[in-house]
Structure formats: C-alpha cells, structure tokens
Amino acid sequence: MTGIKTTGEKKLMFFTGRAHPELAEEVAQQLGIGIVPTKAFDFANGEIYVRYEESARGADCFLIQSHTAPINKWIMETLIMIDALKRASARSITVIMPFYGYARQDKKHRGREPISARLIADLLKTSGADRILTVDLHTDQIQGFFDGPVDHLFALPILADYVGTKVDRTKLTIVSPDAGRVRVADRWCDRLGAPLAIVHKRRDKDVANQVTVHEVVGDVEGRVCVLVDDMIDTAGTICAAADALFAHGAADVIVTATHGVLSGPAADRLKNSKVSEFVLTNTLPTAGELSLDKITVLSIAPTIARAVREVFEDGSVTSLFDEDA
C-alpha cells in the first residue's frame, strides 16, 4: 500500500479584525464557537502587526472584517490577516466582508479612472483568500472580479419582513431611489405585494455626493413609501429622494438600507429629515451620535452565521434565499 490515510475531521476557526468586533461576537455566538485570540496593534508609524495565538494549520478559517472608517486601514489589516493565515498553513481562507470597500468604483465612467472594486478583489486573491462572503454588493458584477467563489448574501428578507410588520401593506409603495436599484426594489414588491415607484435623479459628475432629483415615476400620493437602497453614505441622495416623495404627496416615507456608512453631514441630514424611520443593518458600526429614535438597526449576524455553516459543511448558500428567488 502506498500513501498515508488520515482520520482527521474538518476544523472551523473564526477570526476577526478590529474594525467591527461587535458583529464578529454576534456571529460567533450564533455559530456557538469562540473567536480565535489575536494579537494586533499599530506601530508608531501606522504599520499593522498581527499574530494569531492558536495554530491554524489544516483548518478552514473564516475571517470577518467590515470596511468601516478609516476604510484604508481596515482593508490593509484584512490583507495582512489573510497573509498570516496563508503562512500559518490554513486549509482554506474565507474572507467575510459584510461591507465591501470601494464597491462603488466598479466601472469607468470617464477616461483615466480606476476600477477600484476590481483592485480590491485582486488584492484579496493575491494575499491568499480562497473565498469571499459579502452582503449586498453595490452591483452584482463585482462577483466576477474575484477569481474564486463569492457568496453574495442579501439583507432584503430581514429588512422587508421588518417593514411588513410595521405598516398597512395596502397603503405601501416600494420606491427605488434610482434606476440602478429597480431590480432590488422589484424583489421587495414581490415579497410585500406592493406597487413600485422610481425617483429619477441626475448626479453631478464633477461634485462627489451631489444629486439633483428630477421627478417621481409612479403613484405615491397618500401612500406610505419605502425607499430601498444598498447604502447611505452622506444621506444626500436618500434625503433628496424623500423630499421629492413628500412633494408628490406621500403620506409617509421609510428608508431602508443595508449599509449605514453615515459619513460627513449624514447625522444632521438624518436628524432634520421628515423621514419617519431609517432602517439599517449592522454590517457597519453605527456611531454613538446617531442613536436617534428614528434609526433602527437590525442584525445581519444570523444570516452570516448560517452562510458560514453552509460553506463549512459543503452545503448550499443559495438555499438560504431560494424562497426569495
């Protein structure tokens, strides 16, 4: 007989960076495991050092890191942690990025621009990632940037079911804040049995985060409108869209988004908006100054934990969303 047989079992190990440890703790709790102790700190010049305090040899390693501010630091820490796992002889490395940094830079709008979302995918692959698990990418095509499996999770079931219990569905209208989100808004309509409306907007190509709302397509007068988007950054787009809905006679507006980036003037805009409720998930940490009554944060941890278990057990991540397909 040639070769050696082994009776060893698969081993799952769960790691986290320093960007959003609260979400990592929730996911670990859902999985019923502990987070691997990790020594991580910054040198005086900003360089990042990482060392795992347990052996990862032969293990299926899952590393969670959400790209919150300062985004470039946490992306770099992710790459360093992946490299450390690769050099520690991990059997496989799955990177869980609840929020995929630079996802908005997924194509060239004009000459001499980068496609930064592709660059991030290349960096992840080069550093040693075997698989990516992420939530609500800005555009689906980003999955094709990574040369390996990408599990694309959706927050729609969590957000839609929450909204469905809050309002009278006969008065509900789902609103896409732009043409790019129509497909997602259509899935909301199917799930909640509501009609669709669209806010047509034009973005100033020379001024970041500057949007001019033009018109509302669809019947919103006297309706409870639910604006659905993938992220809220400075909140300029979504608040302008909400103002347009109120101007066209909407009775109320609820805003839902997977990723609460909430940078710059977002806090003031949310506070001063006529929107009755902003519903987010915890893919990113919500700043303390945004602890407003009108902001509701739902946990994405159970969805991520179920996906991790399916990946580890060679199951089907797609099956988690078959009911919504």
Side-chain angles (χ1 to χ4, degrees), residues 63 71 100-101 106 162 170 182 192 199 201 215 222 242 255 275 281 284 292 315:
L63 165 62
I71 188 168
Y100 187 110
D106 62 312
Y162 173 82
T170 62
V182 170
L192 297 178
V199 176
K201 71 177 184 181
E215 61 183 2
V255 171
V275 172
T281 74
L284 293 167
L292 307 174

Side-chain angles (χ1 to χ4, degrees), residues 7 12 18 44 52 61 111 122 139 144-146 160 172 197 221 223 233 238 245 249-250 253 259 263 273 289 324:
T7 58
L12 186 158
R18 295 175 291 167
Y52 304 115
C61 299
D122 288 343
T139 53
F145 292 171
F146 184 77
L172 194 63
E221 187 171 357
R223 309 282 292 178
D233 188 356
I238 211 73
L245 293 173
V253 176
H259 312 296
S263 54
S273 172
E289 63 267 21
D324 310 307

Side-chain angles (χ1 to χ4, degrees), residues 263-281:
S263 54
D268 289 336
R269 286 174 174 168
L270 266 58
K271 290 175 184 176
N272 298 326
S273 172
K274 293 192 291 182
V275 172
S276 64
E277 187 174 13
F278 293 89
V279 186
L280 312 170
T281 74

